[in-house]
Amino acid sequence: MKKIIALILASMMALACLAGCSQKSGSVVMTVNGSDVTWDEYMYWIGYSANQLEQYYNYTGTGVNYKDSETTDIILKDAKKAVIEQHVILAKAAELGLTADEDEVNDIIADYIVYYCGEDGTEEDFAELIKDSYATVDTFKSMVRSNLLYTDIINEMYGEGGADIPEEDIKAYAEENEYITATHILLLTSDDEGKALSEKEQKDLEKQANGFVKELRAIDDNKERLERFNELKAEFCEDTGKESFPDGYCFTTGTMVDEFDSTARALGEYEVSDAVKSDYGYHVIMRLPLKGSDLCTSSDGYPVPLSAIIAEEKFNEQFEQWIEDAETAFVGQYRNYDFSSLFGDEGFNYVSYEDFTSVKN
């Protein structure tokens, strides 16, 4: 899992927490498992949730009707869930004795300042940039901190990259979700500009691929066959993904081209396929035993071990249970406060704690 987060963060990963900020007397809005949620923290998440809903409706070409109570109910429900998520993560990190590396937090913030504000950008420039999102630099640092802790908790529970998940669990998951592992030698039937090679050139490639098949099938020992396969792959394979996936692909149904998928699934372990043609070219495929360390393509396009995908799924199931079991309660004057009153025709009207208390008093 990447340890850098985007400016607009998905709710699971953008776990904003003002743990580094001092609380003003009376600013506690609610508690999550006894942990205090401040006014500023809750307001940030209401604004964030409203922004996400507006983006969705803008994408669909319709506007948000803030006069509809269901709309504000959705926003407030999402904001509350985000607050619960943040405090569950922080509590679990504390329980496991985990703390974020502050040097890493500051390095990430520095990278953001350079990316969004230029080489000469300052924290003040960055603060101005994110102000319209009701965020401060401290808030943003807390998002980064929580994101790092999220990853650290998974690693603590399941090992780095899911290394502590038992092999039998990995096998069971792979079977249930139709994961297999295979490597191949690909000979492209198009040039660097994507133009198809001549018929003669393609026939020559087919002959070359069939030569690989014949040579490999003549090797009886599985280890020797794999070693020779890898030598041929290193010399002749034109798959641009071989650098990122040097030992082959671990994949599930529907993620590879049909010809590769169906051919690989029909093979036994260490068995070599006939030369099979796809839109890319000629493939010579070898099925491999599946292991937790086998690399798959993650949702964001990066190679990750199958065990890491399993670890995250296991954690998300546990995380959802923690959220469901969390005890929450609004406190004091907020028990009966109508937070939907903060919305007007144009959307969320941010109110600072000082302004709120001056109106209330």
Side-chain angles (χ1 to χ4, degrees):
M1 182 184 301
K2 294 170 66 181
K3 286 195 172 184
I4 303 296
I5 53 178
L7 184 60
I8 301 299
L9 298 155
S11 62
M12 177 75 73
M13 304 304 292
L15 305 174
C17 147
L18 304 181
C21 304
S22 60
Q23 293 184 8
K24 307 177 187 71
S25 176
S27 69
V28 176
V29 174
M30 62 183 297
T31 60
V32 178
N33 293 332
S35 176
D36 291 342
V37 178
T38 66
W39 173 268
D40 286 342
E41 182 181 357
Y42 192 52
M43 288 303 102
Y44 168 79
W45 278 111
I46 293 176
Y48 178 89
S49 299
N51 178 267
Q52 294 300 294
L53 191 65
E54 286 177 9
Q55 287 190 31
Y56 170 77
Y57 277 106
N58 288 340
Y59 177 78
T60 60
T62 58
V64 181
N65 180 12
Y66 286 103
K67 293 181 180 179
D68 184 352
S69 61
E70 290 187 7
T71 299
T72 51
D73 285 347
I74 290 171
I75 293 170
L76 295 173
K77 181 180 178 181
D78 286 349
K80 182 178 179 181
K81 186 172 188 290
V83 166
I84 295 171
E85 288 172 350
Q86 85 178 34
H87 284 267
V88 164
I89 285 291
L90 293 169
K92 181 54 64 172
E95 179 183 321
L96 296 173
L98 300 174
T99 56
D101 184 332
E102 291 305 311
D103 288 338
E104 188 172 6
V105 171
N106 290 328
D107 287 345
I108 292 171
I109 295 298
D111 288 342
Y112 267 99
I113 292 173
V114 170
Y115 183 82
Y116 287 104
C117 305
E119 292 288 344
D120 297 327
T122 64
E123 269 202 12
E124 289 73 20
D125 297 330
F126 188 60
E128 186 65 26
L129 178 71
I130 62 178
K131 185 173 64 177
D132 289 342
S133 298
Y134 321 112
T136 65
V137 174
D138 283 341
T139 309
F140 205 83
K141 284 183 178 180
S142 295
M143 295 178 188
V144 174
R145 192 177 294 117
S146 297
N147 190 45
L148 298 178
L149 288 171
Y150 177 95
T151 303
D152 291 343
I153 292 170
I154 296 177
N155 290 339
E156 181 70 18
M157 292 177 64
Y158 303 105
E160 186 82 28
D164 293 344
I165 296 176
E167 199 66 28
E168 57 267 25
D169 289 358
I170 292 170
K171 298 289 187 185
Y173 178 90
E175 183 175 348
E176 180 180 351
N177 294 277
E178 299 184 330
Y179 275 90
I180 66 169
T181 299
T183 184
H184 74 152
I185 302 167
L186 172 62
L187 305 177
L188 294 174
T189 51
S190 59
D191 60 22
D192 292 341
E193 297 178 353
K195 182 180 179 181
L197 300 180
S198 69
E199 185 175 340
K200 180 182 182 306
E201 289 172 318
Q202 293 195 39
K203 285 292 184 183
D204 289 343
L205 290 179
E206 182 181 17
K207 182 178 179 180
Q208 184 181 21
N210 284 326
F212 295 158
V213 173
K214 183 177 180 180
E215 177 185 353
L216 291 165
R217 286 179 175 173
I219 302 173
D220 292 330
D221 183 78
N222 288 339
K223 182 179 178 181
E224 292 179 10
R225 188 184 311 117
L226 177 59
E227 288 176 352
R228 180 55 182 156
F229 189 101
N230 287 335
E231 290 173 354
L232 293 170
K233 178 179 177 178
E235 184 174 357
F236 296 104
C237 181
E238 298 177 287
D239 181 4
T240 56
K242 72 176 182 179
E243 298 300 325
S244 298
F245 298 86
D247 299 319
Y249 296 96
C250 181
F251 58 94
T252 186
T253 306
T255 56
M256 306 293 281
V257 295
D258 290 343
E259 296 87 351
F260 186 100
D261 186 285
S262 59
T263 300
R265 291 181 187 281
L267 298 172
E269 291 181 357
Y270 298 108
E271 188 176 353
V272 176
S273 73
D274 293 330
V276 58
K277 190 177 183 183
S278 73
D279 290 341
Y280 293 99
Y282 287 98
H283 306 257
V284 177
I285 303 168
M286 177 184 282
R287 175 82 172 265
L288 297 174
L290 183 140
K291 307 183 300 298
S293 58
D294 292 343
L295 295 179
C296 309
T297 302
S298 67
S299 58
D300 53 5
Y302 289 85
V304 296
L306 175 60
S307 56
I309 292 176
I310 299 172
E312 188 163 2
E313 285 197 18
K314 284 178 174 290
F315 177 77
N316 285 338
E317 291 176 5
Q318 179 64 73
F319 189 37
E320 287 301 319
Q321 190 60 54
W322 290 337
I323 293 169
E324 184 178 333
D325 294 341
E327 296 182 1
T328 64
F330 285 95
V331 301
Q333 62 187 325
Y334 307 109
R335 287 193 181 97
N336 300 311
Y337 181 70
D338 181 13
F339 285 96
S340 64
S341 65
L342 299 176
F343 291 89
D345 291 343
E346 300 302 317
F348 176 56
N349 300 312
Y350 174 78
V351 178
S352 70
Y353 177 71
E354 289 80 6
D355 289 342
F356 174 78
T357 52
S358 66
V359 171
K360 292 290 288 184
N361 294 332

